[in-house]
Amino acid sequence: MNGMNEQGGIFVFSESNDLALEMLGRARELADKLHTKLAAAQIGKNPQEKAKEMIRYGADKVYAVDNPQLEIFQDESYLNIIQDIATRDHPEILMIGSTRNGKPLAGRLATRLNAGCIPDCIVLEVGGGGNLIGERITYGGNALARMAFKSKPQIVTVPARAFEKRPPEEREGEIAQLEVKVEPPRVEVVERKPLETSSERVEEAEVIVSCGRGLEKKDDVALLREVADVVGGQVGCSRPLVEDRKWFSEWIGLSGHKVKPKLYIASGVSGVIQHVAGIRDAKIIVAINKDPEAPIFEIADYGVVGDLYEVLPALKEALRKQLQ
Ligand SMILES: Cc1cc2nc3c(=O)[nH]c(=O)nc-3n(C[C@H](O)[C@H](O)[C@H](O)COP(=O)(O)OP(=O)(O)OC[C@H]3O[C@@H](n4cnc5c(N)ncnc54)[C@H](O)[C@@H]3O)c2cc1C
């Protein structure tokens, strides 16, 4: 590739394939701007197909680590692999998916590489001197912190849905097999079981019908599910429904999932800042709350002052008729 800087480059990793592809979208734009190459890694069992997919989504080179022992994330081994790639390629920018596994991995990597790290970047730009600038939400969603690196390598973590995937295209790219020594894990996994309470994938949903403490009992979640089913959406909730009531396993908000649906229906949710921080990117917010003073109405595009037990069944019928 003509004019391409063979030193440095950008490296992308997440154990969540979707998030890795989203990061590749922004990383490709940055790599083109910096005239540099873009590498990524696929770790686990039979990584070839996913590696090819990463090339279609923008990577120039993908390190493929084919090892069934690494099919499930293992912090020490994954960290060693990424450190190994970083010390051989010296990427100037390392983008790591901001997942439960990715965040500590990025922090440990930064320590090992003596690098700076900006977590949870929702904006990534190249500054005047060629250094990376990252923006992240701070003060409970009330402000954006804009931070610039002063040294390299520059490590950032990126949350899901911060960036868009590029449309895939047939492109030339290299897949490099990487042999690794798997460290014996320092922790023993005693048991694995799927989360029981929720099969919802709110991060990817285009429509979310969410509930808060206004919902009186667990069985009433069916009311939301019925509305969600009419529009092909998912059910979400505020944090107290997970932490206090244990009805769900994951919540939406500052400390939970940041969502980006086309439509977010909040019922019986007060809309305090910690919840709102997770729904700022929703295109349309509809609030149902019996308190006309509830803060959710300040950010809602449409508001219904009323009892969710009356409004949700009426909404379901109206949507059903409309979509027939
Ligand atoms: C560090 C930190 C991080 C946090 N992170 C998050 C986070 O990520 N996400 C999150 O959600 N919270 C988070 N919280 C908790 C947050 O501060 C609030 O406590 C929580 O969001 C409130 O949840 P809620 O709106 O369901 O409940 P409430 O605030 O109790 O609101 C319930 C609402 O339901 C309405 N209502 C009641 N009955 C009905 C009815 N029948 N019909 C219609 N409306 C009705 C009420 O008028 C009220 O407005 C965090 C807190 C801290 C300290």
Side-chain angles (χ1 to χ4, degrees):
M1 290 176 208
N2 282 346
M4 183 172 279
N5 179 6
E6 281 304 316
Q7 289 299 307
I10 301 178
F11 173 77
V12 166
F13 175 76
S14 178
E15 78 286 7
S16 153
N17 204 46
D18 261 344
L19 178 49
L21 298 182
E22 287 168 16
M23 288 194 290
L24 282 175
R26 183 64 185 135
R28 183 70 263 161
E29 291 167 355
L30 295 173
D32 290 345
K33 187 162 186 187
L34 293 165
H35 303 288
T36 194
K37 62 197 166 161
L38 172 55
Q42 268 298 339
I43 304 172
K45 198 169 143 194
N46 301 328
Q48 292 294 333
E49 283 313 308
K50 284 187 180 158
K52 285 184 198 157
E53 187 183 34
M54 289 185 126
I55 290 171
R56 288 197 293 278
Y57 278 87
D60 298 314
K61 179 173 184 173
V62 182
Y63 289 99
V65 181
D66 190 353
N67 191 323
Q69 279 177 280
L70 295 176
E71 197 173 1
I72 293 170
F73 186 89
Q74 285 183 27
D75 51 4
E76 195 64 24
S77 295
Y78 274 53
L79 178 60
N80 287 345
I81 292 166
I82 292 164
Q83 184 186 5
D84 186 33
I85 295 169
T87 25
R88 86 171 56 186
D89 280 4
H90 299 289
E92 291 184 6
I93 298 172
L94 292 105
M95 290 168 68
I96 309 289
S98 200
T99 60
R100 274 196 201 108
N101 295 324
K103 282 188 207 186
L105 182 136
R108 293 178 69 194
L109 187 67
T111 309
R112 288 193 183 182
L113 299 178
N114 195 22
C117 180
I118 308 181
D120 291 326
C121 291
I122 55 165
V123 172
L124 285 171
E125 287 167 7
V126 178
N131 279 8
L132 196 61
I133 295 173
E135 284 186 10
R136 63 190 299 254
I137 296 173
T138 184
Y139 293 125
N142 280 323
L144 274 178
R146 190 171 166 82
M147 301 159 108
F149 282 94
K150 291 167 91 178
S151 62
K152 290 176 181 163
Q154 309 163 106
I155 302 179
V156 293
T157 71
V158 175
R161 312 209 55 179
F163 301 108
E164 304 276 339
K165 290 177 198 165
R166 290 156 54 88
E169 53 180 336
E170 288 313 314
R171 316 174 49 254
E172 294 279 308
E174 182 192 350
I175 297 179
Q177 300 295 335
L178 207 62
E179 296 299 324
V180 295
K181 189 170 150 271
V182 179
E183 294 291 328
R186 287 195 280 182
V187 291
E188 184 190 354
V189 179
V190 183
E191 190 187 355
R192 267 178 221 288
K193 47 182 184 181
L195 292 171
E196 279 166 15
T197 36
S198 165
S199 58
E200 313 289 341
R201 302 279 314 235
V202 284
E203 312 99 292
E204 289 155 27
E206 296 209 326
V207 179
I208 299 172
V209 187
S210 82
C211 51
R213 270 199 289 225
L215 202 69
E216 285 165 14
K217 46 187 197 309
K218 189 177 177 186
D219 286 349
D220 299 341
V221 174
L223 279 176
L224 289 100
R225 182 117 30 224
E226 285 167 16
V227 177
D229 285 347
V230 175
V231 286
Q234 304 277 344
V235 173
C237 69
S238 66
R239 178 160 136 172
L241 269 54
V242 177
E243 286 210 324
D244 307 338
R245 299 193 183 165
K246 320 279 184 219
W247 295 353
F248 291 84
S249 52
E250 292 171 35
W251 65 87
I252 292 166
L254 180 69
S255 54
H257 289 295
K258 316 276 185 306
V259 296
K260 220 174 171 180
K262 289 185 179 151
L263 174 63
Y264 187 81
I265 303 174
S267 55
V269 174
S270 58
V272 295
I273 193 67
Q274 291 92 356
H275 187 80
V276 165
I279 61 172
R280 284 194 190 286
D281 289 334
K283 277 220 171 74
I284 296 176
I285 297 174
V286 176
I288 303 164
N289 197 304
K290 61 182 183 186
D291 174 7
E293 303 295 325
I296 191 77
F297 288 125
E298 286 166 27
I299 59 141
D301 299 282
Y302 300 93
V304 184
V305 179
D307 187 332
L308 68 91
Y309 286 91
E310 290 166 17
V311 178
L312 282 176
L315 181 64
K316 180 185 76 179
E317 282 317 311
L319 287 169
R320 185 173 282 158
K321 277 194 192 133
Q322 191 72 31
L323 295 170
Q324 251 170 13

